[in-house]
């Protein structure tokens, strides 16, 4: 490819970004606007202008993105031989994730980092092991204080550039904060002893190394041209790393999309991209508005939705693609009716030649997958769930194990599962004695714990034999929660967890109660037995249905960065999407707008056709409530919508095959 026509594949905005090689550059790249192509061509242009490849840095967020960028750069360099200097094997642009970049910096400065040359990088499982050992060392029961939850707190604080010493100062006066502080201190000692760093250390330690002027200057000179992908997802530490390297030459190219910032709960700070022009004086702004993915209709809807947000940088997605089909809108009577519509429409698309893998079904919360999974299984349509399938989720297994053990106290596996839900401090030795029928030999304190446990089981059994199964599920969830404590005089904490994760688990339990309501017309005992039998069969069937060429089922969060020819967005009801957690008066403007960004991300996954659906009624807590359509639907002009219809004739035999 000659120098004159090397950029013919680019549009004017992409070309502008590619040719703006000197000084700070912010590239606002809308969904499907070709940001990876822009970055790779910019790197090619730098090399053709005489910049040494080894002086170029590109940072991504995932290994997949890193590999894709490396391959694209290699291909472009191979195709474009007419460059000012030869590209040797050594002389290549450095392309890595933030964690890969951190590991590289630490390896080159291992003495200053306080580690030996050949240090280990511990993954999450390795880290959980050390946290568990630290808990035991401090006489805390790992079953009572979950290592994963404590590790999540440590990870969050490290992402905010907080050291263990700093955390201890402001958290040690709190009950749980004091526990985390002690465990974290011993966790760090263990890491040092084992000459290891965790994933968060790769960022935190490298950021601290870059605070040393000599080291910072060395990397600023090494990488004179920096590219940061998905800049809207950077946290405080990642921002610090990028700024330190870019400080001297100011040749930083930040590529991102304010409207796709949906990870604030992971410490991603939208302020980093919104404040770029203030942080880097004399910066240039290039907006990539041309979308190569979706139809004009889909983009028009996306634009109308997102323009209502205030925390954004003004732009509008455009495309030369066809107008395309109108967006299908389906008003379901119930969540089951909605699932039936989705599956029937999927079957129709597949019959017309669309591969199942080109179809995605998106939802706001994980619990929504249950009804959809059941319908796909019943109609024998292959599917894949990105994430954990409904019956594989811990809280679902726990609730069902309580129910099974009450009816079948011989089930040792169920006993092992629930005996420390909530945490009771019952160890393996005690459990072995219980299984062997030697409970009388236990110390008095342990006998008391077991007595409380058996009382709980008795209450559950008595309730289950006198009440409908749906109420029993909720009763178990409530009783188990009320029995959870962090220790003497400590506040009660539900075993389902707190925050976003805890809310999601509770929603899944509610969905299990909805499923159980199918058996409420039977006698309590028959209903429970049938529920346990059918959920076991459903779970087994679920595990056999993991086809590669299947419809993709996933949350909107999981869909970020993906695209599909046909996309269904389900559960578009007020309180569900947007989620009612954002109706809290105390939430920030940033938090309130994230739901709208989520919907924007969902809409822009679709290439050819988008389907939106909502249910007039949805069963929650065993009772059916009326819904109103999501505000997102109401904001779409009728001219872009076409009604979808499905005869609601419940002829099918459900997966959980009870006859009413």
């Amino acid at each position: 490819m000659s120098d004159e026509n090397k950029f013919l594949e680019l549009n004017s905005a992409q070309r502008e970004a590619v040719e703006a090689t000197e000084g700070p550059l912010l590239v606002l790249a809308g969904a499907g606007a070709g940001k990876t192509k822009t970055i790779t061509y910019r790197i090619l242009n730098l090399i053709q202008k005489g910049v040494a490849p080894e002086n170029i840095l590109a940072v991504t967020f995932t290994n997949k993105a890193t590999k894709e960028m490396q391959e694209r750069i290699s291909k472009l360099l191979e195709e474009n031989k007419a460059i000012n200097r030869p590209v040797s094997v050594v002389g290549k642009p450095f392309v890595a994730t933030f964690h890969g970049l951190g590991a590289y910096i630490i390896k080159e400065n291992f003495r200053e980092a306080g580690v030996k040359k050949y240090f280990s990088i511990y993954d999450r499982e390795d880290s959980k092991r050390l946290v568990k050992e630290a808990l035991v060392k401090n006489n805390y029961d790992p079953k009572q204080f979950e290592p994963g939850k404590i590790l999540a707190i440590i990870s969050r604080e490290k992402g905010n550039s907080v050291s263990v010493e700093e955390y201890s100062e402001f958290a040690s006066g709190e009950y749980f904060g004091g526990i985390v502080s002690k465990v974290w201190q011993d966790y760090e000692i263990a890491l040092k002893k084992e000459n290891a760093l965790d994933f968060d250390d790769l960022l935190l330690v490298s950021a601290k190394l870059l605070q040393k002027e000599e080291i910072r200057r060395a990397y600023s000179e090494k990488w004179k041209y920096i590219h940061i992908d998905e800049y809207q997802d950077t946290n405080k530490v990642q921002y610090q790393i990028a700024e330190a390297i870019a400080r001297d030459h100011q040749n930083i190219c930040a590529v991102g999309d304010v409207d796709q910032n949906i990870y604030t709960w992971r410490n991603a700070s939208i302020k980093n991209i919104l404040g770029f022009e203030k942080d880097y004086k004399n910066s240039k702004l290039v907006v990539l508005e041309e979308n190569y993915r979706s139809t004009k209709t889909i983009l028009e809807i996306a634009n109308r939705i997102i323009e209502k947000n205030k925390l954004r940088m003004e732009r509008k997605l455009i495309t030369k693609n066809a107008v395309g089909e109108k967006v299908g809108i389906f008003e379901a009577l119930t969540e089951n009716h909605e699932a039936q519509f989705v599956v029937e429409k999927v079957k129709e698309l597949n019959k017309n030649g669309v591969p199942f893998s080109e179809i995605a079904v998106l939802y706001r919360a994980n619990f929504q997958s249950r009804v959809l999974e059941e319908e796909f299984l019943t109609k024998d349509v292959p599917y894949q769930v990105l994430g954990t399938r409904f019956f594989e989720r811990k809280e679902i297994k726990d609730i069902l194990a309580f129910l099974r053990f009450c009816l079948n106290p011989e089930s040792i596996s169920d006993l092992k599962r629930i005996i420390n839900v909530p945490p009771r401090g019952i160890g393996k030795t005690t459990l072995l004695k219980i299984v062997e029928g030697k409970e009388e030999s236990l110390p008095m304190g342990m006998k008391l714990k077991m007595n409380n446990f058996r009382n709980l089981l008795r209450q559950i059994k008595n309730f289950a034999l006198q009440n409908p199964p749906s109420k029993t599920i909720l009763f178990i969830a409530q009783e188990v929660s009320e029995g959870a404590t962090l220790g003497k005089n400590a506040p009660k904490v539900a075993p389902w967890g707190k925050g976003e994760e805890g809310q999601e688990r509770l929603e899944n339990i509610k969905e299990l109660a909805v499923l159980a309501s199918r058996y409420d017309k039977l006698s309590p005992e028959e209903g429970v037995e049938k529920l346990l039998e059918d959920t076991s069969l459903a779970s087994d069937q679920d595990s056999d249905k993991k086809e590669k060429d299947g419809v993709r089922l996933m949350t909107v969060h999981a869909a970020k960065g993906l695209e599909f020819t046909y996309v269904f967005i389900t559960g578009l009801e007020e309180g569900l999407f947007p989620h009612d957690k954002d109706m809290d008066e105390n939430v920030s403007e940033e938090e309130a707008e994230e739901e709208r960004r989520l919907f924007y991300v969902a809409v822009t996954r679709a290439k050819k056709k988008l389907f939106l659906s909502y249910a007039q009624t949805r069963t929650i807590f065993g009772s059916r409530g009326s819904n109103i359509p999501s505000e997102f639907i109401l904001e779409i002009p009728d001219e872009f919508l076409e009604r979808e219809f499905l005869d609601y004739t419940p002829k099918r035999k459900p997966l959980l095959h009870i006859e009413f």
Side-chain angles (χ1 to χ4, degrees):
M1 190 181 293
S2 67
D3 194 65
E4 291 78 26
N5 62 11
K6 65 185 177 183
F7 299 143
L8 287 180
E9 292 183 41
L10 305 175
N11 63 40
S12 59
Q14 290 172 331
R15 194 177 298 115
E16 185 182 3
V18 166
E19 294 177 342
T21 56
E22 304 301 313
L25 172 67
L26 176 62
V27 180
L28 285 183
K35 63 182 178 65
T36 304
K37 176 191 278 190
T38 303
I39 293 173
T40 52
Y41 268 92
R42 190 174 191 273
I43 290 171
L44 172 68
N45 189 39
L46 284 166
I47 295 171
Q48 291 184 322
K49 280 188 171 184
V51 176
E54 56 268 29
N55 289 153
I56 301 171
L57 171 68
V59 188
T60 68
F61 266 81
T62 66
N63 291 322
K64 181 183 176 183
T66 296
K67 186 179 179 182
E68 182 185 357
M69 192 170 293
Q70 287 172 333
E71 290 174 349
R72 287 201 187 190
I73 291 171
S74 296
K75 185 180 179 182
L76 280 177
L77 292 176
E78 182 64 28
E79 292 174 350
N80 291 264
K81 301 291 189 181
I83 54 179
N84 291 343
R85 57 187 294 148
V87 181
S88 66
V89 175
V90 177
K92 290 182 178 180
F94 190 92
V95 185
T97 63
F98 267 106
H99 291 98
L101 173 64
Y104 179 86
I105 293 172
I106 294 168
K107 284 176 182 177
E108 288 203 331
N109 303 274
F110 64 91
R111 290 188 180 87
E112 291 86 348
V115 295
K116 295 178 182 176
K117 185 176 182 179
Y118 301 107
F119 63 88
S120 298
I121 299 172
Y122 278 4
D123 61 18
R124 184 170 174 80
E125 288 306 309
D126 294 323
S127 295
K128 281 173 70 174
R129 170 180 63 81
L130 292 187
V131 169
K132 185 177 179 180
E133 290 174 0
L135 282 164
V136 173
K137 181 182 177 182
N138 286 278
N139 297 315
Y140 298 119
D141 186 355
K143 293 185 175 68
Q144 185 173 355
F145 302 95
E146 290 184 36
K149 290 181 181 178
I150 292 179
L151 185 61
I153 294 171
I154 295 172
S155 178
R156 179 194 68 203
E157 296 301 325
K158 285 185 176 182
N160 286 324
S161 195
V162 176
S163 68
V164 61
E165 293 79 15
E166 291 168 333
Y167 180 84
S168 298
E169 282 184 24
F170 68 77
S172 58
E174 303 173 2
Y175 175 76
F176 189 66
I179 294 172
V180 174
S181 177
K182 290 177 185 176
V183 170
W184 189 355
Q185 290 175 37
D186 284 332
Y187 172 69
E188 293 297 331
I189 292 170
L191 283 171
K192 191 172 183 64
K193 184 179 178 181
E194 297 185 22
N195 190 38
L197 299 173
D198 64 21
F199 278 147
D200 298 298
D201 286 331
L202 297 178
L203 302 179
L204 189 60
V205 174
S206 58
K208 288 184 175 179
L209 284 169
L210 291 170
Q211 290 177 2
K212 300 180 179 183
E213 190 62 14
E214 186 178 347
I215 293 175
R216 188 199 65 76
R217 284 184 179 275
Y219 288 107
S220 193
E221 194 61 29
K222 179 181 180 66
W223 294 311
K224 298 176 182 177
Y225 296 85
I226 306 165
H227 304 77
I228 309 293
D229 195 13
E230 303 288 2
Y231 195 71
Q232 79 281 350
D233 291 334
T234 53
N235 62 19
K236 186 175 180 179
V237 176
Q238 290 161 338
Y239 171 88
Q240 291 172 343
I241 292 170
E243 188 279 327
I245 298 172
R247 194 178 301 165
D248 291 348
H249 298 282
Q250 295 284 293
N251 295 323
I252 180 172
C253 172
V255 183
D257 185 2
V258 178
D259 297 333
Q260 294 190 71
N261 174 257
I262 59 173
Y263 295 121
T264 56
W265 52 279
R266 287 185 187 172
N267 296 320
S269 177
I270 197 172
K271 295 176 182 177
N272 292 346
I273 191 168
L274 290 175
F276 184 89
E277 292 174 287
K278 183 179 178 182
D279 293 337
Y280 296 94
K281 307 299 182 185
N282 302 315
S283 60
K284 181 180 180 65
L285 173 65
V286 176
V287 182
L288 304 186
E289 295 181 308
E290 186 170 352
N291 176 287
Y292 293 90
R293 176 187 300 159
S294 308
T295 65
K296 284 185 171 68
T297 296
I298 291 170
L299 295 186
E300 184 63 33
I301 289 171
N303 288 327
R304 287 176 181 254
I305 293 297
I306 203 63
E307 68 185 10
K308 294 184 180 296
N309 272 5
K310 296 178 182 178
L311 290 170
R312 65 188 298 266
M313 303 177 79
E314 195 63 37
R315 59 161 182 74
K316 189 174 182 179
L317 290 176
I318 58 173
T319 186
K320 294 177 183 175
N321 293 340
V323 173
E325 300 177 62
K326 291 185 177 183
V327 172
I329 181 80
F330 182 70
E331 182 183 56
L333 298 176
T334 67
E335 65 270 37
N336 293 300
H337 190 205
E338 180 184 51
Q340 187 183 3
F341 162 74
V342 171
V343 175
E344 289 301 322
K345 185 60 68 172
V346 164
K347 288 171 66 179
E348 181 185 317
L349 290 170
N350 182 251
K351 188 177 179 180
N352 292 330
V354 181
F356 287 122
S357 58
E358 280 297 311
I359 305 170
V361 183
L362 310 184
Y363 36 81
R364 175 61 180 85
N366 270 309
F367 81 88
Q368 293 171 254
S369 79
R370 199 274 305 169
V371 174
L372 291 162
E373 287 183 68
E374 182 181 316
E375 188 68 28
F376 275 100
L377 284 166
T378 302
K379 296 296 178 63
D380 199 31
V381 176
Y383 73 96
Q384 286 185 311
V385 178
L386 271 68
T388 308
R389 293 171 177 249
F390 186 79
F391 290 112
E392 294 173 358
R393 292 165 189 160
K394 180 184 181 299
E395 59 276 13
I396 300 301
K397 287 186 172 183
D398 287 346
I399 294 290
L400 293 174
F402 267 107
L403 201 50
R404 273 194 303 269
F405 189 73
C406 288
L407 299 181
N408 177 25
E410 306 300 318
S411 177
I412 303 301
S413 62
D414 286 324
L415 175 63
K416 288 180 178 178
R417 184 169 193 95
I418 64 175
I419 199 162
N420 281 298
V421 180
R424 297 182 180 85
I426 298 174
K428 292 181 180 178
T429 304
T430 301
L431 182 58
L432 184 61
K433 288 184 178 181
I434 294 167
V435 173
E436 292 176 345
K438 300 178 180 178
E439 198 169 324
E440 287 301 316
S441 65
L442 295 174
M444 187 57 67
M446 196 58 67
K447 283 183 179 178
L448 181 62
K449 289 181 180 180
M450 283 304 303
N451 186 55
N452 291 335
F453 177 58
R454 295 196 186 282
N455 283 337
L456 173 63
L457 294 175
R458 254 189 308 271
Q459 290 173 17
I460 292 172
K461 183 176 180 179
N462 290 337
F463 190 94
L465 296 177
Q466 298 177 44
N467 293 275
S470 61
K471 290 187 177 180
T472 298
I473 297 297
L474 298 174
F475 178 81
I476 295 171
Q478 181 180 337
E479 291 301 306
V480 171
S481 290
E482 289 184 354
T485 64
L486 289 176
K488 190 177 180 181
N489 299 322
K492 292 180 178 179
V493 176
W496 322 121
K498 300 172 73 177
E500 183 105 5
E501 182 184 355
Q503 184 178 27
E504 186 175 294
R505 287 180 174 177
L506 283 172
E507 286 175 343
N508 289 335
I509 293 171
K510 295 176 192 177
E511 186 61 20
L512 181 62
V514 172
L515 184 150
S517 67
R518 295 183 177 179
Y519 305 85
D520 286 354
K521 292 186 179 181
L522 296 175
S523 70
E525 187 171 357
E526 288 177 317
V528 167
E529 288 179 357
K530 196 65 175 168
L531 169 67
L532 291 173
E533 177 187 336
D534 285 350
T535 51
S536 296
L537 293 172
S539 180
D540 182 62
Q541 189 178 0
D542 186 39
S543 64
D544 294 335
K545 212 61 179 174
K546 297 181 179 180
E547 289 93 342
K548 290 184 179 179
D549 182 30
V551 179
R552 273 44 174 180
L553 275 62
M554 69 193 84
T555 63
V556 180
H557 281 103
K560 174 90 173 348
L562 304 177
E563 61 180 40
F564 302 91
T565 307
Y566 295 87
V567 171
F568 294 80
I569 308 175
T570 61
L572 283 165
E573 303 138 28
E574 283 296 308
L576 186 54
F577 198 0
H579 204 282
D580 61 6
K581 72 180 181 68
D582 293 294
M583 304 301 176
D584 189 337
E585 293 180 359
N586 296 319
V587 299
S588 66
E589 187 177 22
E590 181 178 334
E591 291 171 324
E593 291 190 355
E594 189 156 337
E595 289 294 301
R596 190 170 291 276
R597 293 198 294 271
L598 264 175
F599 186 66
Y600 172 84
V601 167
V603 168
T604 53
R605 298 312 92 195
K607 293 192 284 186
K608 187 174 182 179
K609 176 81 173 181
L610 182 67
F611 297 92
L612 310 177
S613 62
Y614 64 95
Q616 293 180 9
T617 65
R618 191 176 294 271
T619 303
I620 298 181
F621 279 112
S623 61
R624 187 160 292 280
S626 298
N627 302 313
I628 61 172
S630 167
E631 63 185 88
F632 303 145
I633 288 180
L634 300 177
E635 290 170 5
I636 302 172
D638 288 342
E639 63 191 90
F640 298 109
L641 300 173
E642 61 180 2
R643 291 283 174 182
E644 297 282 346
F645 298 94
L646 178 72
D647 291 333
Y648 189 50
T649 51
K651 299 174 183 176
R652 69 177 180 87
K653 200 172 189 179
L655 174 66
L656 303 177
H657 48 78
I658 178 170
E659 302 290 346
F660 294 115

